[in-house]
Amino acid sequence: MNCESVELTGGEIVVRPYRPSDITAVYEAARESIPELSRWMPWCHANYAIEETTASILSRPDGWERDAEYGFGVFRRDGRFLGGVGMNFVSRVHQIANLGYWVRSTETGHGVASRAARLVARFGIQQLKFQRLEILAATGNLPSQRVAEKAGALKEAVLRKRLRLHGEPVDAVLYSLVAEDFSKRA
């Protein structure tokens, strides 16, 4: 699938694949969000540099082409970058992928992450033909768990030592979305 033709909209947000022109906005949002994100997303660390943003964004089209990962920027309709959402750890053997998200610190609490996650999940299930999307959130990451629940994901289990954060194993809550979850709710 050509990533350039994808644009998902819902309410006041637009979700689309990253473009090179997004590098500065993504970098600024990540730097702003280090105190909140670094605990749960080790890529967002104190020394986070624009070169990391550049490498990440420039690698995205290749991820789409290889059916390995699908990264999206989340924007307000006026163009302000709000955060990111994506699917990775793709297994075509089982038709599943992991769904993850983040929102810049100054934009949290407005439902952006749950709306964006739901838009991308619908796209993943309907267009990319995944049968299941999984969300893993560290047991201490209550905001991420709330996003998963607001996006309509079903809480399935607590998995012992399922994630590694900053080199340490942590327990994680497993949520899932399947096609039937989209027929239950508009």
Side-chain angles (χ1 to χ4, degrees):
M1 171 173 287
N2 179 357
C3 67
E4 294 172 16
S5 64
V6 176
E7 185 172 285
L8 313 170
T9 58
E12 288 300 309
I13 66 168
V14 175
V15 179
R16 62 161 173 77
Y18 290 103
R19 300 175 185 153
S21 59
D22 300 327
I23 290 170
T24 299
V26 173
Y27 171 72
E28 290 171 355
R31 290 293 309 172
E32 162 193 310
S33 305
I34 289 170
E36 293 78 20
L37 292 181
S38 63
R39 181 174 177 198
W40 310 115
M41 299 183 162
W43 64 264
C44 192
H45 54 87
N47 297 317
Y48 184 79
I50 196 161
E51 292 81 10
E52 293 171 87
T53 306
T54 301
S56 175
I57 288 179
L58 295 182
S59 73
R60 299 300 173 137
D62 180 60
W64 280 70
E65 288 175 28
R66 292 183 299 107
D67 190 33
E69 63 179 325
Y70 298 87
F72 298 84
V74 181
F75 302 83
R76 229 179 9 222
R77 287 197 184 270
D78 66 8
R80 177 173 167 76
F81 178 76
L82 303 175
V85 62
M87 296 171 288
N88 59 10
F89 298 106
V90 171
S91 169
R92 284 299 179 182
V93 171
H94 300 289
Q95 296 294 27
I96 64 172
N98 182 68
L99 178 67
Y101 38 80
W102 69 280
V103 172
R104 71 186 309 154
S105 296
T106 55
E107 298 290 343
T108 60
H110 304 292
V112 171
S114 58
R115 286 195 313 270
R118 188 137 179 105
L119 286 169
V120 169
R122 181 184 299 272
F123 172 79
I125 288 171
Q126 294 178 351
Q127 302 300 313
L128 300 176
K129 306 301 182 196
F130 290 118
Q131 72 179 13
R132 175 184 171 89
L133 294 170
E134 296 181 344
I135 299 169
L136 284 167
T139 54
N141 189 346
L142 299 179
S144 186
Q145 292 175 49
R146 282 193 298 272
V147 168
E149 291 165 4
K150 287 170 90 177
L154 176 67
K155 181 178 180 178
E156 293 186 350
V158 173
L159 307 176
R160 298 182 307 155
K161 297 186 179 184
R162 176 56 179 84
L163 296 174
R164 289 189 71 80
L165 293 177
H166 306 286
E168 297 296 322
V170 298
D171 296 349
V173 182
L174 173 67
Y175 292 86
S176 68
L177 286 158
V178 297
E180 293 80 6
D181 296 326
F182 293 92
S183 60
K184 294 177 191 173
R185 179 176 146 193

